[in-house]
Amino acid sequence: MTDAPSPAPTPEAYVLGVDSGGSGLRVALGRVDTDGPLFTAVCAEPVRTGAGGIDAAHLLEQLLPAAAELLERAGAGGAADSSGQVAPGQVAAFAIGAAGMATLGGRLRAELPGALAEALGVRRMALAADAVTAYAGAVGQRPGAVVAGGTGMIALGTDLTGWHRADGWGHLLGDSGGGAWIGRAGLDAAMRAHDGRRGGSPALLARLHAVFGPAEGLPGLLYPRSDRPAVLASFAPEVAACAGADEVAAGILREAAAHIAEAAAAVCPTAGPEGDDACEVALTGGLFRMGEPLLGPVREELARLVPQARVTTGTGDPLTGALRIARALALDDLRLPHHSTMLFVPAGDGPSGSSGGVGAEVRNGEQESDGVPADGPVNGAVSGAADSPTDTDTSPVRHSSDISG
C-alpha cells in the first residue's frame, strides 16, 4: 500500500461494511451516495480467535467470497461495466467492526489492509472495535454516548476528540447490568428460594425448573459449559417476565438499570453539540428488547444520574455503523476520533492521508502501547470463551454479534 491519496469516489461507487461477532460474519454492500445497504450476506461461522488474536486468514476466507457475491449481485442490477463485471476500483471504502478488535486485532490491522487492497482494490478502510461501529450505527458522527447491551454491557461516549468507555470487562470483572448479570442474579434468587434463604424468589425458582429442570442439577448443567455467560443471559428474559408480579425480580432489574445508568453517566460528553449540557444517550442491543420492565427503570435512573441525557433508541446496528464509517471515509468526512486500536485507519488511507489516529485517547485508561490498551479490551459481552471478555452481544439469550472490541 502506498501513501498516495485515494482518488475521489464517484457517486455510484460501492462501500463495504462488516460486522464480525460471536454468531458469525455479516457483510453489507452499499453506495457512497445512498444510506442503508443494497445487499447483505451472512457467514454463520464465527471468525476463529487463537493465541495470535483474531485469525485474519480465516476472516478473509469468509469475507472475500461474500464480498464477491455481493458485488456480482450489484453488477447484475446494472452497475457492471461493458464486460459484465464490476469495474476495478468500484469499492471506494471498507470498514469492519470486530469483536475483540481492541486487544485481539493485531493480526487484522497488520494483514487486512494489504490483502483487501490487493483483492478488492480498496485503499480507504477502517478497522474498528465493534463498540465503535455500534456507536456509529446508533448515534452516527455526533457527540454523545451509546449503551450497548446484550450478554454483556458496555457504554461508549465521545466528544469527537477522544473515546471514553465504561465497563465491558466480561462477566467475571464487570458487564454489570447486562444479560449475563441479570440472568445470574435471577438464578441466585431462585437458588435462595430453593434453599429457604433470605432474598429468594419462588417465582424465579419456578422459571428455573421450567427452563433448566431440577435446581440441584443446575451446577452440572452450567459449570462445564464454555459459553456460561450466554447460558446465564438466557435466563434474563425470565427475570423480566416475572418483574411485574415479583418484587425480587423487579429489584434485580432496578439494580441492573442503576449499573447501566452509572456507565452512561461516566461516558457522557461534558458539553453537547450546541455548547449546552445535553447529551444524547442511545440504547442499543438485544438487552433492551426485554422492553418496559428494564427500560422503565433505566429511564428513571438516567433521569436521576444524567438529567441532561436525551435518551434515544439506536437507529442502526453495528453493521449499519460499519457502512456509515465506510461512507464517511469515502467522502473524506470521518469525524469520529481515530484511535490506534478502537478506530484504526491505516496511514495514507484516511481523509487527507491521515494516520491511524495515534493521538486519540481512551479517557479512562492509559494510552495504548503496541496495540494493547492498558485498561483491557473494549467490549461488553462474550464470544465462545467462557472467561474472556469480547464485545457486547445483540441478544440477551444467545451468542450473537458482540458489540465492543
Side-chain angles (χ1 to χ4, degrees), residues 56-383:
H58 189 225
L59 187 148
L60 285 168
E61 287 174 9
Q62 300 186 69
L63 170 60
L64 292 179
E69 174 192 342
L70 293 176
L71 289 167
E72 182 178 357
R73 290 169 65 185
D81 62 20
S82 58
S83 67
Q85 300 297 318
V86 175
Q90 278 290 82
V91 179
F94 173 97
I96 178 171
M101 178 70 81
T103 50
L104 302 173
R107 287 180 62 183
L108 296 188
R109 291 185 289 273
E111 299 175 25
L112 281 189
L116 292 171
E118 180 178 354
L120 299 174
V122 184
R123 296 286 174 178
R124 303 182 188 207
M125 64 187 71
L127 308 179
D130 61 354
V132 172
T133 51
Y135 184 99
V139 181
Q141 295 202 86
R142 303 183 301 275
V146 64
V147 177
T151 295
M153 195 283 298
I154 183 172
L156 189 68
T158 182
D159 57 4
L160 300 187
T161 65
W163 292 103
H164 191 191
R165 54 78 59 82
D167 212 339
W169 304 119
H171 77 293
L172 293 180
L173 298 176
D175 284 353
S176 301
W181 187 97
I182 292 171
R184 187 203 174 281
L187 290 170
D188 176 83
M191 298 304 289
R192 287 177 176 274
H194 171 75
D195 295 344
R197 289 178 288 150
R198 186 176 61 181
S201 166
L204 290 174
L205 178 59
R207 297 313 306 152
L208 184 160
H209 289 157
V211 174
F212 295 110
E216 297 89 340
L218 183 60
L221 291 174
L222 180 63
Y223 293 137
R225 296 284 294 265
S226 62
D227 59 344
R228 284 192 297 275
V231 177
L232 292 171
S234 71
F235 199 69
E238 305 295 337
V239 179
C242 291
D246 183 75
E247 181 54 33
V248 173
I252 291 170
L253 295 187
R254 286 195 300 270
E255 188 174 354
H259 286 304
I260 291 167
E262 287 169 359
V267 304
C268 275
T270 55
E274 305 301 326
D276 56 22
D277 292 332
C279 175
E280 178 180 359
V281 178
L283 306 177
T284 187
L287 181 70
F288 300 108
R289 288 198 290 269
M290 289 196 298
E292 199 59 26
L294 178 63
L295 286 173
V298 167
R299 292 192 195 98
E300 291 175 5
E301 287 296 319
L302 283 171
R304 183 176 67 85
L305 293 178
V306 197
Q308 74 274 27
R310 297 193 303 269
V311 183
T312 65
T313 301
T315 58
D317 65 2
L319 186 59
T320 300
L323 270 181
R324 288 178 174 173
I325 290 173
R327 285 196 183 91
L329 275 176
L331 297 171
D332 284 351
D333 188 36
L334 183 58
R335 300 188 298 276
L336 295 175
H338 295 187
H339 188 269
S340 56
T341 60
M342 291 182 64
L343 181 54
F344 174 69
V345 179
D349 295 335
S352 304
S354 60
S355 69
V358 176
E361 65 171 344
V362 180
R363 295 201 308 271
N364 66 341
E366 299 177 13
Q367 182 63 42
E368 299 174 3
S369 173
D370 297 328
V372 179
D375 58 355
V378 180
N379 56 29
V382 294
S383 64

